Amino acid sequence: MAVVVGAVAGLNIVIGSLVAPFPVAAVVTIFALCVAAAVLVADPNRHLAPLILMLGMPLLGVGLSEPPATALSAGALLLLGSIYGWLVSLIWPDRPGIQRPAKAAVPRRVMLAYGIQIGIAGAAGAALGFALDVDHPGWACAAALLISRPDRALLDARSIGRILSVFLGATAACVVAAFHPSNAVFAAVVLVVIAGAAGTAGSRWYVLPFFTTLLVLSMLIGDETESATHWFLERVALTLAGAALAVLAAWVVPRVMAVPGSTAVGSQKSNSDQSSGT
């Protein structure tokens, strides 16, 4: 499964980079794929659909910020990393699998409404990024899709959690940059960040964005192409925009389509998503 996760992640980043030079096509692609993935989730036999919806679509948004060559390299590294992780896992003895109760099928109409909801949020985030001509036009899109969940209470909690985590992570990155660390110190910071992200992966609090923001902004600031303030403002502002779009879409679409804001699929997934690092 780890290899499949890496493949889905890498492929969607590459797809995002390929449509990024064509803003209109990129916006339409995000909306269409979000709707398609959500509808497929309604079919219990589509085992990859939830993974594509919850991980693949946000990473497609991430790919909008990268040129194809960079995205291809990132995708290859994700795939190789997942293969490496799988090989390392073979060292440990097998453990009995966790028996999970079968989930009730979610009505296709409910998932269609949810797909339209996140499709609008993600597409609007991408359109905003392209319109503002920011360095990373996919950040607002990715934030909107990472925050979005069928359960409204969970969506609200994730929006607040992501905003706070990104703000604190961006602040920490600026503090690190202020000391002009050597390569050795920066490598140590990266190691601590990765360990922290892995160690808190099961947390009920949405803290992963703190670590990813600290890592990404530290690397961007280290390139010295722009000031730390520039990257801080862009990351935080686009995260706020993505959160606002996710909440707005969750408020409007269910009312227009007469679908409850807290759906059956939301209640089924809320417990697992509380501890999810995505």
Side-chain angles (χ1 to χ4, degrees):
M1 185 61 182
V3 177
V4 175
V5 172
V8 169
L11 179 61
N12 278 276
I13 291 177
V14 172
I15 293 174
S17 72
L18 293 176
V19 298
F22 315 99
V24 174
V27 171
V28 173
T29 298
I30 289 170
F31 177 80
L33 290 181
C34 283
V35 174
V39 171
L40 289 176
V41 170
D43 184 351
N45 296 319
R46 305 285 186 175
H47 301 295
L48 286 182
L51 176 64
I52 294 172
L53 181 65
M54 298 176 66
L55 178 66
M57 292 300 95
L59 289 181
L60 193 150
V62 170
L64 297 178
S65 303
E66 304 296 339
T70 302
L72 187 60
S73 298
L77 287 173
L78 284 169
L79 179 59
L80 291 174
S82 64
I83 293 173
Y84 170 76
W86 171 68
L87 291 174
V88 171
S89 71
L90 297 179
I91 300 174
W92 276 261
D94 291 335
R95 293 184 298 177
I98 300 175
Q99 297 296 325
R100 301 182 185 276
K103 295 180 179 179
V106 182
R108 186 177 296 271
R109 179 172 175 271
V110 171
M111 290 311 302
L112 173 61
Y114 179 63
I116 293 173
Q117 172 189 318
I118 64 171
I120 290 174
L128 178 65
F130 287 124
L132 295 177
D133 195 26
V134 293
D135 296 286
H136 294 84
W139 276 358
C141 170
L145 294 177
L146 285 167
I147 289 168
S148 293
R149 288 296 184 270
D151 186 275
R152 179 57 191 272
L154 183 56
L155 183 151
D156 291 342
R158 288 176 68 85
S159 63
I160 296 172
R162 187 169 187 87
I163 290 170
L164 291 176
S165 293
V166 167
F167 177 80
L168 293 174
T171 302
C174 291
V175 171
V176 170
F179 288 95
H180 303 287
S182 64
N183 290 337
V185 173
F186 182 71
V189 170
V190 170
L191 181 62
V192 170
V193 169
I194 294 175
T200 58
S203 172
R204 61 187 296 266
W205 302 103
Y206 191 23
V207 297
L208 181 62
F210 168 82
F211 297 103
T212 55
T213 298
L214 174 54
L215 180 61
V216 170
L217 260 62
S218 294
M219 297 177 70
L220 289 172
I221 294 171
D223 286 341
E224 298 183 348
T225 55
E226 296 286 352
S227 67
T229 302
H230 171 87
W231 295 123
F232 178 92
L233 292 176
E234 181 170 306
R235 181 73 168 190
V236 173
L238 292 178
T239 297
L240 286 169
L245 290 170
V247 172
L248 181 61
W251 185 80
V252 172
V253 174
R255 285 168 171 77
V256 172
M257 300 190 67
V259 174
S262 180
T263 65
V265 67
S267 62
Q268 290 175 358
K269 291 184 178 180
S270 60
N271 291 335
S272 61
D273 284 344
Q274 287 283 8
S275 60
S276 172
T278 56

